[in-house]
Amino acid sequence: MRLRALLDTDALGLRLLGGEDELDRTVRGVMTTDLRDPSRYLSGGELVLTGLAWRRDDADSESFVRLLVQAGVTALAAGEAELGDVPEDLVVACARHRLPLFAVHESVAFATITEHVVRQVSGERAGDLAAVVDRHRRMMTSGPAGGGPDVVLDLLGSDLDLRAWVLSPAGRLIAGPKEAGAALPADVCARLAAEHLSATRTGRRGPHRLTLGPTTYSLFPIRSSGRSPQAARDVRETVLSDWLLAVEADAGDWPDERLDLLQGVTQLIAVERDRRDAARTVRRRLAQEVLELVQTGAAPAEIAARLRVAAPVLLPGLGSAPHWQVVVARVEWDDGDAAGLEGGPVAQSLLEEILVDPLATGPEPSDRIAVAHTGDEAIALVPLPAVSTEHDGSGTGILADALLEAVRDPLTAGLDDDGRLTLGISAAVHSAEGLRGALEEARHARRVAAARSGRVCAAGHHELASHVLLLPFVPDDVRRAFTARLLDPLREYDRRHRAELIPTLEAFLDCDGSWTRCASRLHLHVNTLRYRVGRIEQLTGRDLSRLEDKLDFFLALRMS
């Protein structure tokens, strides 16, 4: 569509401040930003909407406009809600660079302009199917008349006979059709998310397709702020946080018109995603403030005051102070090319997607999580409703095993073969005094998780009361020497004779040295088990009747 058509649309509230000779320029997309340098998210042809939060003084306008022009932006529209009239220095900078400039009246939401542009651009490509996108505008409506992504998915079903679901990168169901029988099983969600992440990491062009049984799904990425696939400096910056649209259909033989329509739908859902991300700003700030107080050794009373501010934001209507859990996450990349990637923001976005309070209800329970980041580490404050005074809360909230089971497969695909995610989870605490200990507990648990093999690992507070706490701090060379001395003779013997000495040793220790229980578990005669244990002792020079030797074998198996 052309800029002139935008200016002629009264409902958009646009006022031309400069660039009258450039109104025949074509708009191919729209992006909302307040970044000082948004150029990495631009692909050219966009109408850029800004609230001017990037502007600190007069000189900022020149550099901002220059970056937009270099990125091939079609025009700039500045909102009047924050500063009132658009600053004169921005008008001058746009005139100097021949960039058309509009003022957006404070009564007009940027989402309204975004909807209009998406509808028009999709309409010009999709012809009569544009009416569908027009009806989808209800998704953006606030209040009882709207419904978020669920409405657009219902309309896809009614207008195009397409069933579709919005999923998080970890396979969490964010939205789906409401009719009976339309629920997508958790294992299917996980498979779809894993396929999407794997395809994205390998650079395959979408939509990606996956057949599960008799059903084929087509997967469309939902990228924030109209970002193009090439806009991010590195796909790893966003692959673990971008949503996806899963459509129950094979898009392989779709005409371009229908593919364009689905791309328009993903842009509409992306606007809703951006709105939810903006709402998380307050929670992020609260988490950052609490974290800074805890790490700088502030008085418990001061920390408690900040927690009292956070509680009604995260758990509105709660009458009493909640318990809290702390979750620490770190995303690390193996190769040198990732040196410029910041792990903290990636881990922060990921935690906001995967941490869902199991006691919360509603369409977006993850919005009850407050996440901050410092360096390469992300730290989440998870509020829990107050529990009985007879219970310490240690059994409530997020459990490491359950969280790991839910997210491991999809996120392993997203990390591919060059990334790791490690998570540590504290016990629940009920006071500001306990928060510092919970943070350290979660950090220790994360280090325990980091000592394990696998792309996605998690550990909880319950593991810190055992020998497992000590294992991450054993130097790697000591680990290798210790395990090799005890286990290599057994592995070599198993390789040559298929004697299964290692599985026998594991079962024997797991049965606390009970000959009868171990033989029963392995389906062996007791004499056969005695022969195998004797061979283990002969090859290693150890005595499995001695506690010290049992403990050495146990630790070697855990560290191997």
Side-chain angles (χ1 to χ4, degrees):
M1 66 177 302
R2 299 189 185 279
L3 290 176
R4 192 179 306 280
L6 284 175
L7 188 62
D8 292 340
T9 305
D10 294 337
L12 300 183
L14 295 177
R15 181 164 49 90
L16 184 64
L17 300 180
E20 185 173 1
D21 296 335
E22 307 293 334
L23 291 180
D24 287 328
R25 289 188 180 188
T26 299
V27 177
R28 296 195 293 108
V30 62
M31 175 187 179
T32 300
T33 185
D34 277 313
L35 295 173
R36 295 173 68 86
D37 179 10
S39 57
R40 62 181 178 177
Y41 300 121
L42 297 167
S43 58
E46 294 93 349
L47 169 66
V48 171
L49 306 175
T50 180
L52 302 176
W54 48 265
R55 183 181 178 275
R56 300 290 183 269
D57 55 48
D58 296 358
D60 290 341
S61 294
E62 171 64 21
S63 59
F64 183 77
V65 172
R66 185 173 62 253
L67 289 168
L68 296 187
V69 172
Q70 290 172 352
V73 165
T74 295
L76 174 65
E80 296 179 323
E82 185 71 23
L83 301 178
D85 292 337
V86 176
E88 183 61 23
D89 49 274
L90 182 59
V91 176
V92 171
C94 287
R96 180 181 300 115
H97 291 279
R98 299 180 62 83
L99 181 68
L101 174 64
F102 299 95
V104 182
H105 193 271
E106 63 181 5
S107 64
V108 179
F110 283 173
T112 301
I113 300 174
T114 299
E115 292 174 51
H116 182 82
V117 172
V118 170
R119 288 201 315 272
Q120 295 302 315
V121 171
S122 297
E124 291 170 5
R125 292 193 299 258
D128 57 348
L129 291 178
V132 179
V133 180
D134 182 59
R135 292 186 61 194
H136 291 163
R137 64 176 302 172
R138 278 186 275 158
M139 184 197 74
M140 308 305 302
T141 307
S142 59
D150 298 277
V151 171
V152 71
L153 300 184
D154 289 340
L155 291 172
L156 274 178
S158 62
D159 287 33
L160 294 180
D161 195 26
L162 291 175
R163 292 208 302 179
W165 299 263
V166 178
L167 305 177
S168 80
R172 180 170 62 88
L173 182 62
I174 295 169
K178 293 297 190 294
E179 70 265 18
L184 207 58
D187 61 329
V188 174
C189 291
R191 288 283 304 277
L192 295 175
E195 171 63 20
H196 170 74
L197 292 175
S198 177
T200 301
R201 283 305 311 272
T202 55
R204 300 199 329 248
R205 187 174 181 178
H208 316 302
R209 289 174 289 160
L210 177 65
T211 299
L212 298 177
T215 306
T216 297
Y217 298 89
S218 297
L219 311 176
F220 296 81
I222 299 172
R223 296 189 173 91
S224 178
S225 300
R227 189 174 62 246
S228 69
Q230 296 80 22
R233 292 174 300 175
D234 193 308
V235 69
R236 288 170 291 189
E237 290 181 337
T238 58
V239 67
L240 298 180
S241 58
D242 278 347
W243 290 354
L244 67 135
L245 178 68
V247 181
E248 190 181 70
D250 188 344
D253 56 356
W254 281 7
D256 291 342
E257 291 80 6
R258 177 162 286 210
L259 289 172
D260 285 345
L261 174 66
L262 265 293
Q263 295 294 348
V265 169
T266 64
Q267 290 182 36
L268 286 174
I269 298 174
V271 174
E272 175 68 12
R273 165 68 188 275
D274 289 345
R275 186 163 62 186
R276 294 188 183 190
D277 283 348
R280 288 174 173 166
T281 302
V282 174
R283 293 186 290 277
R284 286 180 172 184
R285 185 169 66 247
L286 286 172
Q288 198 71 44
E289 291 173 354
V290 172
L291 176 62
E292 290 174 0
L293 290 174
V294 169
Q295 295 192 131
T296 56
E302 187 176 0
I303 299 174
R306 298 309 301 162
L307 290 178
R308 283 194 295 273
V309 172
V313 174
L314 300 175
L315 289 174
L318 192 67
S320 57
H323 286 63
W324 300 89
Q325 267 184 297
V326 176
V327 180
V328 173
R330 184 183 289 263
V331 174
E332 299 171 295
W333 306 102
D334 296 343
D335 66 301
D337 294 339
L341 288 176
E342 295 185 60
V346 175
Q348 180 183 47
S349 297
L350 181 59
L351 281 184
E352 289 173 337
E353 290 298 330
I354 68 175
L355 290 183
V356 178
D357 184 347
L359 303 179
T361 58
E364 194 60 34
S366 62
D367 280 349
R368 298 169 185 249
I369 309 298
V371 188
H373 74 83
T374 173
D376 288 332
E377 183 180 71
I379 300 168
L381 289 176
V382 182
L384 306 173
V387 297
S388 167
T389 55
E390 298 176 359
H391 194 288
D392 66 1
S394 62
T396 66
I398 296 171
L399 301 177
D401 291 345
L403 179 62
L404 183 61
E405 180 68 22
V407 305
R408 177 170 45 208
D409 291 345
L411 295 184
T412 296
L415 292 162
D416 196 23
D417 59 354
D418 64 347
R420 286 200 81 202
L421 167 66
T422 50
L423 298 155
I425 303 170
S426 78
V429 296
H430 66 278
S431 67
E433 288 87 348
L435 205 56
R436 183 174 294 116
L439 175 59
E440 290 307 311
E441 189 174 62
R443 282 175 166 161
H444 278 301
R446 193 206 64 79
R447 286 194 284 270
V448 169
R452 297 171 177 164
S453 60
R455 290 291 169 186
V456 182
C457 299
H461 61 91
H462 60 282
E463 299 184 59
L464 303 186
S466 74
H467 66 280
V468 178
L469 176 62
L470 304 176
L471 299 185
F473 307 103
V474 177
D476 288 343
D477 55 345
V478 175
R479 285 167 176 268
R480 287 190 292 269
F482 182 73
T483 58
R485 187 167 59 251
L486 280 176
L487 302 183
D488 278 3
L490 306 182
R491 289 172 177 148
E492 177 62 21
Y493 191 87
D494 280 348
R495 186 186 65 79
R496 288 188 287 111
H497 300 283
R498 299 181 180 179
E500 298 188 357
L501 296 185
I502 291 289
T504 300
L505 175 62
E506 291 174 331
F508 187 73
L509 295 175
D510 196 42
C511 293
D512 297 324
S514 168
W515 297 99
T516 303
R517 282 195 290 127
C518 184
S520 176
R521 173 181 293 190
L522 296 175
H523 305 290
L524 298 175
H525 191 278
V526 172
N527 288 341
T528 303
L529 175 62
R530 290 185 184 277
Y531 171 79
R532 289 188 182 180
V533 170
R535 179 64 67 185
I536 291 171
E537 292 174 334
Q538 180 186 17
L539 291 170
T540 61
R542 299 298 186 108
D543 182 354
L544 277 169
S545 66
R546 298 178 67 246
L547 176 62
E548 293 88 343
D549 287 342
K550 287 180 182 177
L551 181 59
D552 282 348
F553 277 122
F554 179 78
L555 292 174
L557 289 168
R558 292 301 297 266
M559 288 192 293
S560 64

